[in-house]
Amino acid sequence: VQLVESGGGLVQPGGSLRLSCAASGFSFSSYGMRWVRQAPGKGLEWVSTINSSGGNTRYADSVKGRFTISRDNAKNTLFLQMNSLKPEDTAVYYCVKSVTTFLPRGQGTQVTVSS
């Protein structure tokens, strides 16, 4: 299993970023996936989940209405569109090949929201 996140960076409050997660080593289209994040000095926090087909999604209350999870099974890629970013969204974001645990996950991509 290999999961490689990208798309993070520094953005001002109110800005947007689109994270990607390139998956390989398993049958991507057969698995639900999720995004989790870890803010400085805090534990892992669930952000969003998507089922294997992409037809069912769930979000943490803290990101609902601002973030959108999606997937392209033809390209083995998971996405997280993040809009209206807030300083409290600052964290390392990970994609996870599981809908119940935090493993396995990629190396993460840093998102920093600051003016």
Side-chain angles (χ1 to χ4, degrees), residues 8-113:
L10 173 64
V11 62
Q12 292 186 341
S16 298
L17 284 173
R18 189 192 195 203
L19 306 184
S20 298
C21 171
S24 61
F26 65 103
S27 180
F28 179 74
S29 62
S30 297
Y31 288 86
M33 300 285 293
R34 57 185 193 162
W35 288 96
V36 302
R37 66 186 181 185
Q38 187 166 28
K42 297 188 177 181
L44 287 165
E45 175 193 18
W46 168 70
V47 173
S48 183
T49 299
I50 189 167
N51 71 340
S52 57
S53 69
N56 190 10
T57 58
R58 293 171 56 233
Y59 299 92
D61 287 344
S62 59
V63 307
K64 198 173 296 181
R66 300 188 297 120
F67 290 11
T68 302
I69 190 171
S70 62
R71 64 191 297 160
D72 184 338
N73 284 343
K75 296 183 177 180
N76 291 349
T77 305
L78 179 72
F79 301 101
L80 186 68
Q81 177 67 44
M82 306 187 297
N83 298 329
S84 302
L85 282 161
K86 304 176 181 179
E88 51 263 44
D89 295 319
T90 295
V92 178
Y93 284 72
Y94 302 90
C95 63
V96 184
K97 176 188 166 287
S98 172
V99 296
T100 57
T101 71
F102 291 131
L103 290 172
R105 62 180 182 263
Q107 84 292 342
T109 186
Q110 175 70 48
V111 172
T112 302
V113 185

